[in-house]
Amino acid sequence: DNMTESVGYTFRYRLSDTAFVYSKYGYEWLIGSRIYDISTGTDTPIALPNAETALYPVAAGNGKVVLVPDFIENATSGGPYIYDVMTGETSTANWLMFYNDRSYPVFKLSGDTLAAFSVDDNGLAIRLCDLNTETVMNLFELHYQAAQPLAVYDTEDAFWFTTDAYSLSDTYLFFIS
């Protein structure tokens, strides 16, 4: 009845043949993220206890969902957070810090390897992380000042990293196998 109210839904990631991650939006804000299982009708919220902002899914796979706060400046921790689909628990990845990053990283999850592509004061940075040991296995610093991370893709044996072009920059494509 209220014409100023608006609700929208965005499919984010497929988890299985019957379950997917989706986000629910208000007029201009994220309300929250959830997992819906069509076989059981179960609709499970993904949340961090006592969180002051909603969590936005940025990667999923292997029974995990990687999330970041919708409003990083309002959060006590910028995350990322790892939601375990089997246990329903959300943990903070305090071991994965993004110091001096000018924008939030782009993520891709493949098995238990999390790829994070970001930009900081030195240029582009690629981190390959092991979620089992909670460590950054590799850090690659690329000194391209004008480029911004756009996306990360994975193939059978490699990660592919693409950048967004600016008027002063070209588009770049990197791969690590």
Side-chain angles (χ1 to χ4, degrees), residues 40-51:
T40 63
T42 306
D43 194 19
T44 307
I46 302 174
L48 189 64
N50 304 317

Side-chain angles (χ1 to χ4, degrees), residues 11-89:
F11 168 84
R12 299 295 302 157
Y13 299 99
R14 176 183 181 267
L15 296 175
S16 69
D17 288 341
T18 63
F20 59 90
V21 178
Y22 73 95
S23 296
K24 181 178 179 181
Y25 293 88
Y27 178 66
E28 292 181 331
W29 61 92
L30 176 66
I31 295 172
S33 297
R34 305 173 76 87
I35 295 174
Y36 187 76
D37 188 319
I38 59 175
S39 66
T40 63
T42 306
D43 194 19
T44 307
I46 302 174
L48 189 64
N50 304 317
E52 56 279 330
T53 186
L55 297 178
Y56 182 77
V58 293
N62 203 29
K64 296 175 179 63
V65 180
V66 180
L67 305 114
V68 297
D70 186 39
F71 292 107
I72 295 171
E73 60 274 2
N74 294 343
T76 55
S77 170
Y81 301 96
I82 311 296
Y83 178 81
D84 187 307
V85 175
M86 294 301 290
T87 66
E89 294 180 9

Side-chain angles (χ1 to χ4, degrees), residues 6 8 31 41-42 46 50 59-60 66-68 85 107 118 124 126 133 137 139 144 146 157 159 169 176:
S6 174
I31 295 172
T42 306
I46 302 174
N50 304 317
V66 180
L67 305 114
V68 297
V85 175
F107 294 96
S118 63
L124 297 172
I126 295 172
T133 60
M137 300 179 303
L139 170 62
Y144 294 89
D157 60 348
F159 281 104
S169 172
I176 298 173

Side-chain angles (χ1 to χ4, degrees), residues 122-142:
N122 298 318
L124 297 172
I126 295 172
R127 293 169 179 88
L128 297 180
C129 310
D130 185 331
L131 294 183
N132 287 326
T133 60
E134 297 184 343
T135 58
V136 177
M137 300 179 303
N138 298 98
L139 170 62
F140 302 94
E141 294 181 311
L142 312 167

